[in-house]
Amino acid sequence: MEREKSLANCCNVNENPCNMCMPMGGILAFKGLEQSMVIIHGSQGCATYMRRHMAEHFNEPVDVASSSLNEKGTIYGGEKNLKQGLDNVIKAYRPGVVGILTTCLAETIGEDIDRISQEYLKERGCNDLPVVTVNSPGYGGTHTEGYWLTLRRIVTKLARKTETHSKINVIIPNISPADIREIKRILQLMQVEYVLLPDFSDTLDRPYQRPYRKIPEGGTKLADIVAMGGAAATIQFGLTVDDSMSPGKYLESEFGVPLYNLPLPMGVENTDLFINLLIKLTGNHLPPAIEQERGRLLDCMIDSHKYNAQGSSVIFGEPENVYGVVKICLENGIYPVVVATGSKNHNLKQLLDDLLVNSPVRCTVITEADFTTIRQKSRGRANIAIGSSDGRYLTEKEGIPLVRYGFPIHDRTGGQRLLSVGYAGTTMFLDRVTNTLLEYKHKHYRRSMYQMFYQGEQEGQEFSAESCGEHYVMFMPSDVKQ
């Protein structure tokens, strides 16, 4: 009773959230377009924070402009700042397309970026320049929602009804440039004509070259996006994406392009779904190279299953990526005990309901999660964590080793080169996980054996009552393994 009274005045807060703000995802999407430049309508600090975050992950210079809203602009409106910022962007970069994203400040004072951008193009006589506006206040969602909403806005703005052609639209979530290159390689091996959106495999992981280019080469061509309305089909790796933010759903409803919504091709079953769909849509045969990669993945699973059976995982990150990792873990006996995302994503929860129904281990699923809660729920239960480097405190404070996957990775180099999709990528991902489990075992097993058999100590601690977000506990009613 006293405990309940002491918590009566507590509120549900988010401490060290498991996500970043909405415009961050929008920038990622725009960086996948050819000759694109982004301007953030808000304070200069917002653009600086996002530039630094992306530059440290991709180890590339990342240019993001800002309208530099200050106190005066906040009170009297930021229209003048935004127009001046667009002048500077066009003069300095000569972009082929401009993306305008808003921040909390611009949205709170009610800036109408659609009207301002249209007026600007009319005043400057540059109506041919595509400008895509996205309302993306930080309180409107996470970087995941910002990413998908921006893709939807890009397609809505640029795609047109064209003559039907044989290309297949491939729309991807936020994955590493190495993963994007792997998906492109698979498509090429399968002899598929495609339009991949967004393609930041080169723009955010460019080779060293001189002279330096302000806007790197690469990205999805605007002409290809225009033609997406006439494609034979759309493959969207977006099972968890709400229809209101789905570019594939827009292409289907507006232009009648059939939508195939698939999970990210991570693990055997999910990659099989992707490959089998390509065979079905194109009529092409499975190339021997891909068949061999699948065989090597199966061999890898056989090699590592005796180690992975000891794994209990905590998985966190963006919903689509989290779902892919959970799938790999379950295929290899690494039962998740905590699955978390910073998004308020009920699609993920429903998908996990089906996926975890036969898991012998109790699993807590947390949406709108923060790392304080993830740590509390993982304490004494998990022996491996999989997610971005923002989860490094799971290692520092709880002793749970972290396999870095997703965005951002700030405390290691090479985050942009981590390969995790397809049969070959899954094999490399599984090796990283298995070797981390082995390292953890060899580092701790003598001490844990001593404590268990000579000191009589049991693992596990009481959880704190502090929490955030929505929690769902999933487990089989019998034969529960703690």
Side-chain angles (χ1 to χ4, degrees), residues 162-193:
T162 61
E163 289 186 12
T164 304
H165 54 83
S166 59
K167 286 188 177 178
I168 295 174
N169 303 322
V170 180
I171 301 173
I172 59 171
N174 177 22
I175 53 180
S176 75
D179 283 337
I180 297 175
R181 287 192 288 270
E182 178 64 9
I183 289 174
K184 289 164 66 175
R185 187 184 71 89
I186 291 171
L187 291 167
Q188 287 162 6
L189 283 171
M190 293 289 299
Q191 299 181 330
V192 178
E193 290 185 292

Side-chain angles (χ1 to χ4, degrees), residues 18 54 73 84 109 145 214 220 255 284 310 312 315 409:
C18 182
M54 293 178 63
Q84 188 174 347
I109 63 176
E145 283 76 45
K214 287 182 180 177
T220 310
F255 303 116
N284 296 336
Q310 302 297 317
S312 298
I315 301 164
I409 296 175

Side-chain angles (χ1 to χ4, degrees), residues 379-423:
R379 191 173 297 154
R381 299 182 62 208
N383 59 6
I384 189 165
I386 304 172
S388 72
S389 64
D390 286 346
R392 60 190 178 278
Y393 295 111
L394 285 160
T395 305
E396 293 179 18
K397 299 188 183 247
E398 309 299 334
I400 303 170
L402 173 64
V403 176
R404 284 157 180 80
Y405 167 76
F407 173 82
I409 296 175
H410 286 164
D411 58 351
R412 299 285 190 278
T413 60
Q416 75 276 32
R417 292 185 287 272
L418 288 178
L419 180 57
S420 310
V421 303
Y423 299 123

